[in-house]
Amino acid sequence: MRALRCFAAIALALVCGRALAAEDDAPNNKPVKIVADARLSVSSHGLLPLYLSSDWSMPLPAISRAIIVLHGRLRNADEYYISAHTAQVAAGDDGKGALMIVPQFLAEVDVEAHKLPADTLRWSLEGWEGGEAALAPNPVSSFEALDAILAKLSDRRVFPNLKQVVVAGHSGGGQVAQRYAIAGKGEAMLSRQHIEIRYVVANPSSYAYFSNERPVSAIAASCPGYNNWKYGMDKRPPYLADATPAALEQRYVEREVIYLLGTLDTNPEHPALDKSCMAKAQGPYRYARGHAYADAMAKRNRGTPNHRVWDVAGVGHDGDKMLTSKCGLAALFDSPGCGGER
């Protein structure tokens, strides 16, 4: 009942028909309109707000799949929770038995605007996308926050029948999903419980490369920071400091990754597109950057059989349409009918 009341409250708070695509055009330095109602303690160093479709303070034997949906740069977890729910309903029987989880990586402006408790975790406006440490109350990486979610899901007392976890993100959330697929340490806890994990990377502005080569070499040559994290392996944050780039690449190649790319996400002047020289060295727009990255990874590793690239035909930079498309439902729920693999 609590989850249903929360969903209804969010739906009433949203402007009817407002699309995630339009919202992504807005500045990200404004406070969020709604803060998620649930909380998770991250290593006792702070509390992470999040939305949950079921109360996980009690055993959930009916849950066989958990789907973590990561919001974009506006930190608008409320809207992504609506999209997650819409996708689950659209999946029909495939969506039954799924727990939908939408964490919220807040900024200082959000904490101040909503007068949140001092123990609420908050990051810089975009630092959470690359796993940087929180600004307060303790320097906890956003990736550690995801580790804490996976640790909770690996608890067989709460999830005795959980078989799969999906970490999915669109736009800024897609950046988090791609970097966490490289760096994340939480997968080991799931593996010990024989729980599979998949990463779904939808329409991010950029990717983390493992080599110094870039699709647009001329731009890279004139861009001093083009290979710094989160674009490359130089100057990685502390969370990644204990592994070499080679070890990180090997781990990434072994993990199951689906790149979801909207065929119409081709605007080089999109307001929310990363237009830094670091990003432009990866290609002119998101669709091109995604295919260039997947091709580069396959070439470097003589194929990447655990990685798949799915085109979502006729969709641009729209999180709701990406997640609820046939390929989105296939990536999240293993529903049939995608046909977008290239």
Side-chain angles (χ1 to χ4, degrees):
M1 289 298 296
R2 176 174 169 273
L4 290 176
R5 288 196 299 270
C6 174
F7 179 82
I10 294 171
L12 288 173
L14 294 178
V15 178
C16 183
R18 188 173 68 184
L20 290 177
E23 280 299 295
D24 201 38
D25 295 350
N28 66 337
N29 59 357
K30 296 179 180 179
V32 297
K33 295 182 178 179
I34 303 176
V35 176
D37 67 329
R39 296 292 182 272
L40 176 67
S41 178
V42 179
S43 303
S44 300
H45 294 315
L47 296 179
L48 177 74
L50 71 170
Y51 288 108
L52 300 166
S53 62
S54 297
D55 183 359
W56 64 6
S57 67
M58 60 185 70
L60 295 172
I63 297 298
S64 58
R65 185 195 310 263
I67 299 177
I68 302 167
V69 178
L70 303 168
H71 59 70
R73 70 188 187 115
L74 296 188
R75 310 179 301 284
N76 49 343
D78 53 330
E79 297 188 38
Y80 277 83
Y81 187 55
I82 292 288
S83 291
H85 176 79
T86 302
Q88 184 177 19
V89 172
D93 289 342
D94 295 324
K96 294 179 180 178
L99 171 67
M100 310 305 291
I101 305 166
V102 182
Q104 192 170 29
F105 300 100
L106 296 176
E108 189 68 53
V109 64
D110 307 316
V111 174
E112 293 176 354
H114 292 274
K115 297 179 171 58
L116 299 176
D119 60 357
T120 304
L121 287 166
R122 78 293 300 260
W123 286 265
S124 65
L125 291 174
E126 296 180 358
W128 54 274
E129 294 178 353
E132 291 183 9
L135 301 178
N138 290 289
V140 177
S141 167
S142 54
F143 292 164
E144 289 181 74
L146 292 176
D147 289 345
I149 295 175
L150 298 191
K152 178 71 175 181
L153 294 173
S154 68
D155 187 348
R156 284 300 189 188
R157 295 169 298 179
V158 181
F159 300 99
N161 298 308
L162 186 65
K163 296 180 176 62
Q164 185 185 54
V165 172
V166 178
V167 179
H170 175 263
S171 193
Q175 293 191 50
V176 180
Q178 197 266 329
R179 275 72 173 190
Y180 188 72
I182 291 172
K185 301 171 185 176
E187 182 169 327
M189 293 176 282
L190 296 176
S191 296
R192 286 194 289 270
Q193 299 300 327
H194 306 288
I195 300 170
E196 298 178 351
I197 186 168
R198 171 188 301 159
Y199 303 89
V200 179
V201 179
N203 290 345
S205 270
S206 66
Y207 300 78
Y209 273 75
F210 293 97
S211 74
N212 295 332
E213 297 179 359
R214 293 295 184 274
V216 189
S217 57
I219 294 179
S222 60
C223 181
Y226 83 97
N227 201 45
N228 290 345
W229 184 265
K230 59 186 178 178
Y231 305 93
M233 291 293 117
D234 296 341
K235 298 184 178 181
R236 302 186 305 280
Y239 183 93
L240 290 84
D242 61 348
T244 65
L248 291 170
E249 182 172 14
Q250 182 60 38
R251 184 162 64 189
Y252 183 60
V253 170
E254 292 173 354
R255 289 176 169 173
E256 183 183 1
V257 179
I258 296 176
Y259 304 96
L260 279 183
L261 304 175
T263 61
L264 299 185
D265 202 346
T266 56
N267 180 4
E269 300 302 325
H270 189 279
L273 179 68
D274 185 343
K275 301 179 187 68
S276 67
C277 63
M278 295 85 78
K280 286 184 176 180
Q282 299 186 12
Y285 43 77
R286 294 184 187 89
Y287 183 70
R289 292 174 188 179
H291 275 287
Y293 182 77
D295 290 345
M297 286 299 300
K299 182 179 179 180
R300 277 179 57 80
N301 295 278
R302 298 183 180 179
T304 48
N306 292 330
H307 294 191
R308 289 172 284 175
V309 182
W310 291 353
D311 279 1
V312 182
V315 176
H317 199 67
D318 189 314
D320 189 77
K321 289 182 179 179
M322 290 292 292
L323 294 179
T324 59
S325 68
K326 286 188 178 297
C327 288
L329 299 181
L332 299 180
F333 303 99
D334 291 309
S335 297
C338 173
E341 187 163 6
R342 289 187 57 180

